[in-house]
Amino acid sequence: MAGPVTPLSPAELAPSDKALVPFVSVDNMMRLIHHVGIEPMLRELAGYIEDDFRRWELFDKTPRVASHSDVGVIELMPTSDGEAYGFKYVNGHPKNTREGLQTVTAFGLLADVYTGYPVLLTEMTLLTAMRTAATSAMAAKYLAPKGARCMAMIGNGAQAEFQTLAMKALLGIDTVRLFDIDARATEKVARNLAGSGLTVVSCASAEEAIEGAQILTTCTADKQNATILTDNMVGAGVHINAIGGDCPGKTELHRDIVARAEMFLEYPEQTRIEGELQQMPEDHPFTELWQVVSGTAPGRRDAQQVTLFDSVGFAIEDFSALRFVRDRIRGTAYYADLDLLADPDDPRDLFGMLMRSG
Ligand SMILES: NC(=O)c1ccc[n+]([C@@H]2O[C@H](COP(=O)([O-])OP(=O)(O)OC[C@H]3O[C@@H](n4cnc5c(N)ncnc54)[C@H](O)[C@@H]3O)[C@@H](O)[C@H]2O)c1
C-alpha cells in the first residue's frame, strides 16, 4: 500500500543545477553572432573545425541517418570525440521556400560522454549556415588558387551571404558575382552585402557569373540532378566549392567536370551516397580533406589544377560548431537555463519525484 506522499516545497520543486541545460534560442544565437562579429566568428569557427579535422581519426564516424520523402529529407548527424558527444537534427526541403518556409532548419545538442548528460541545446539553422560557410572557406584556404580575389556565387538563397562573407574573411575575396534563376534572390543578396566592403556584381546567367572568378561556389537547392556548371564553363586553375549536391539524386555539376577535377571531400562513406561522387565509379580518386589539413596529403599543387570540394556537410563540422557555442556562451547572457533533465534527489526514486510534485 502506498504511504502518504509529502508534497515538495517550492525549493525542492526548483530544478537542481544538474537538471538545467544551457539553451541557445535563435534570438540568443543572433545576439552571440553580433557580439562576436560575423566575420570574426566565421574565422573562429573555421579554427575550431580545422582543429577537429586535425584529430579526425579519433572521432566516431558514420554517414548521417537520413529519412527521405518525395519532398525532402530529415537527417540526424551524430559524432563523438570520446569526451563529448554531439548530434544535429537537420532537414532539407527545396520546395519549402515556395510555401514561405526555409529549405534547411536545424537544432543540435552536445553531451558529456562521462555522465551522458546534455551540456548544450541550441538552434542550429543560423549555426549551420555559419559552419557550412566556415568549412567552405577553410577548405578553400588549402585548395583555391593563390591570390584568389573574385568568386562566383550561384544559388542566392539562405546560405549565400554566409558563404560569401566566409571567403572574404578567410581568403580576402573582394568581389562576388551573383547568379540565381530567381532574380529576387540575387537582389536580396546584393542588398544584404551592400556595405560589406565587397564589390557585388549581379549576373543574368551562370556563364556570366563565373567570368573572371577563381572560386566557383554552387549552392542551389533542387530535388534532382541539376547541371549548374557544364564542363566548358570551367577553365584551368579554378576552385569549385560545390555545396548544394548533398542528397542521393541531387547533384550540381556535369559529370565531365567531376571526372577532370581533383576531388577533395569530407567523409567518403557519406559523400559516396550524397555528393557529386555519387555520379562516379567506385574507383574514382579523391583526397580526404582532413589529410590535407593535417599535412599528410597535398592540397592544391599547381596553378593549372581544377580543385573541387565536394561538400555535403559532415557531423564533425557541427560538433566543432557546438564546441564553439559551448565555449563562447560561458559567462554571458546569451543562453537560458532549460529544465530538461529529471533530477530526483534519490536517483532511483524518479516515481517518488513525480508523485511528490502532484
Ligand atoms: N554542404 C553542406 O554542408 C550544406 C549545408 C547547408 C545547406 N546545403 C545545401 O545547400 C543548398 C542551398 O541551401 P539554402 O539554404 O541556401 O537553400 P535556399 O532554398 O534558400 O536557396 C537555394 C537557391 O538556389 C536557387 N536555384 C535553384 N536551382 C538553381 C539553378 N539551376 N541555378 C541557379 N540557382 C538555382 C533557388 O532559386 C534558391 O534561391 C541546399 O541544397 C542545401 O541542402 C549544403
Side-chain angles (χ1 to χ4, degrees):
M1 208 174 76
V5 173
T6 318
L8 291 180
S9 68
E12 285 168 317
L13 269 173
S16 81
D17 281 358
K18 288 196 206 88
L20 299 176
V21 176
F23 167 61
V24 181
S25 62
V26 174
D27 190 36
N28 270 327
M29 183 61 75
M30 294 196 286
R31 286 171 212 250
L32 175 68
I33 295 173
H34 286 304
H35 168 75
V36 179
I38 297 175
E39 291 186 42
M41 180 158 156
L42 286 163
R43 279 192 289 267
E44 269 194 63
L45 273 174
Y48 270 70
I49 296 166
E50 208 164 2
D51 286 346
D52 286 341
F53 270 58
R54 280 199 197 95
R55 51 190 199 115
W56 187 266
E57 285 166 294
L58 64 79
F59 280 90
D60 271 354
K61 290 177 284 296
T62 178
R64 58 185 154 197
V65 183
S67 174
H68 294 279
S69 68
D70 291 345
V71 288
V73 63
I74 293 176
E75 297 164 324
L76 289 178
M77 302 172 69
T79 190
S80 170
D81 68 356
E83 284 183 18
Y85 169 94
F87 78 82
K88 178 169 84 172
Y89 166 102
V90 64
N91 76 299
H93 285 66
K95 57 93 190 156
N96 269 8
T97 52
R98 291 193 294 278
E99 297 167 14
L101 301 171
Q102 289 191 95
T103 299
V104 175
T105 67
F107 68 89
L109 183 144
L110 199 66
D112 172 21
V113 166
Y114 182 68
T115 59
Y117 274 36
V119 296
L120 172 70
L121 177 68
T122 177
E123 89 79 44
M124 286 191 85
T125 306
L126 283 158
L127 195 59
T128 293
M130 295 289 283
R131 79 82 154 115
T132 304
T135 305
S136 286
M138 191 272 280
K141 238 176 40 172
Y142 295 93
L143 304 179
K146 279 205 171 41
R149 289 290 170 268
C150 176
M151 71 179 279
M153 184 70 232
I154 302 176
N156 300 157
Q159 314 297 319
E161 295 88 342
F162 297 90
Q163 284 286 327
T164 306
L165 289 175
M167 293 296 182
K168 173 176 183 275
L170 275 94
L171 278 90
I173 286 295
D174 60 25
T175 303
V176 60
R177 300 175 64 83
L178 306 172
F179 173 68
D180 194 291
I181 44 171
D182 183 347
R184 287 169 309 173
T186 303
E187 279 162 28
K188 176 228 38 165
V189 176
R191 200 168 50 241
N192 283 339
L193 292 180
S196 66
L198 287 162
T199 301
V200 181
V201 185
S202 300
C203 302
S205 66
E207 284 82 354
E208 190 187 333
I210 63 168
E211 267 171 37
Q214 297 95 21
I215 298 176
L216 317 182
T217 294
T218 55
C219 193
T220 65
D222 206 338
K223 197 144 176 47
Q224 61 177 3
N225 297 108
T227 307
I228 308 301
L229 298 178
T230 51
D231 195 30
N232 61 325
M233 290 165 74
V234 176
V238 299
H239 172 59
I240 305 170
N241 175 42
I243 299 299
D246 61 355
C247 255
K250 177 167 173 264
T251 54
E252 292 182 305
L253 305 180
H254 191 281
R255 194 180 178 284
D256 292 349
I257 301 175
V258 187
R260 174 158 71 94
E262 190 104 7
M263 182 187 277
F264 297 82
L265 48 72
E266 291 143 318
Y267 181 56
E269 286 82 347
Q270 184 178 313
T271 309
R272 180 156 306 285
I273 302 168
E274 302 179 353
E276 300 300 327
L277 185 60
Q278 64 186 286
Q279 305 190 57
M280 307 312 287
E282 278 289 317
D283 60 353
H284 184 72
F286 56 76
T287 304
E288 293 183 51
L289 189 58
W290 72 269
Q291 294 180 304
V292 178
V293 172
S294 60
T296 56
R300 169 171 290 273
R301 281 194 304 267
D302 61 60
Q304 294 305 307
Q305 211 182 2
V306 174
T307 49
L308 164 61
F309 177 36
D310 185 7
S311 165
V312 292
F314 190 60
I316 293 175
E317 294 146 25
D318 298 307
F319 182 91
S320 313
L322 287 165
R323 282 203 303 115
F324 169 87
V325 173
R326 180 199 56 193
D327 293 352
R328 271 307 205 136
I329 60 169
R330 259 186 216 127
T332 74
Y334 303 128
Y335 68 93
D337 283 326
L338 197 65
D339 178 17
L340 189 67
L341 306 175
D343 182 36
D345 291 340
D346 171 354
R348 288 178 298 190
D349 197 15
L350 185 64
F351 188 79
M353 183 187 84
L354 168 67
M355 295 317 284
R356 285 194 295 279
S357 71

